[in-house]
């Protein structure tokens, strides 16, 4: 396994919303492999993830979702907000 690409990579959700994540596993010869990943969340109080890759927003905050096989990992960010507009403006101002 060369790398794991999780999409969508950045997600902005409101509490209660869900997003289906997918993991593309790339082998050393740049081909895709059909293998299952192990999903995990860095903050289960903010976002949970099922073994099928469905992330659900639980409470306001940030969580990173990992897709893991052996020692390779791919990741996606989940931002959970009660005020979508404020989070968007924070993302734009912090990236400049």
């Amino acid at each position: 396994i060369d790398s794991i690409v999780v999409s969508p990579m950045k997600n902005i959700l409101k509490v209660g919303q869900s997003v289906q994540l997918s993991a593309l596993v790339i082998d050393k010869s740049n081909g895709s492999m059909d293998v299952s990943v192990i999903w995990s969340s860095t903050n289960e109080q903010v976002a949970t993830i099922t073994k099928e890759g469905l992330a659900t927003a639980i409470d306001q905050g940030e969580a990173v979702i990992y897709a893991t096989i052996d020692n390779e990992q791919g990741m996606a960010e989940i931002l959970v907000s009660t005020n979508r507009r404020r989070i968007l403006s924070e993302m734009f101002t912090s990236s400049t």
Side-chain angles (χ1 to χ4, degrees):
I1 295 170
D2 187 50
S3 63
I4 301 171
V5 180
V6 177
S7 60
M9 238 173 123
K10 287 193 181 287
N11 302 275
I12 301 172
L13 301 176
K14 288 185 176 166
V15 174
Q17 284 186 321
S18 295
V19 62
Q20 179 65 54
L21 301 179
S22 62
L24 177 63
V25 181
I26 299 165
D27 64 20
K28 301 274 186 234
S29 59
N30 221 14
S32 66
M33 299 168 63
D34 189 19
V35 290
S36 1
V37 298
I38 295 164
W39 293 99
S40 61
S41 170
T42 57
N43 193 338
E44 298 257 324
Q45 280 80 37
V46 172
T48 58
I49 185 92
T50 66
K51 62 181 196 294
E52 293 81 23
L54 183 67
T56 302
I58 304 300
D59 201 1
Q60 207 167 335
E62 273 182 72
V64 177
I65 303 294
Y66 286 106
T68 309
I69 300 175
D70 300 327
N71 58 356
E72 277 301 321
Q73 278 188 327
M75 59 168 271
E77 290 177 73
I78 307 267
L79 284 173
V80 181
S81 169
T82 52
N83 181 342
R84 194 179 181 106
R85 191 171 288 122
R86 195 185 87 234
I87 285 277
L88 282 171
S89 66
E90 282 174 15
M91 281 178 69
F92 288 123
T93 53
S94 67
S95 65
T96 53

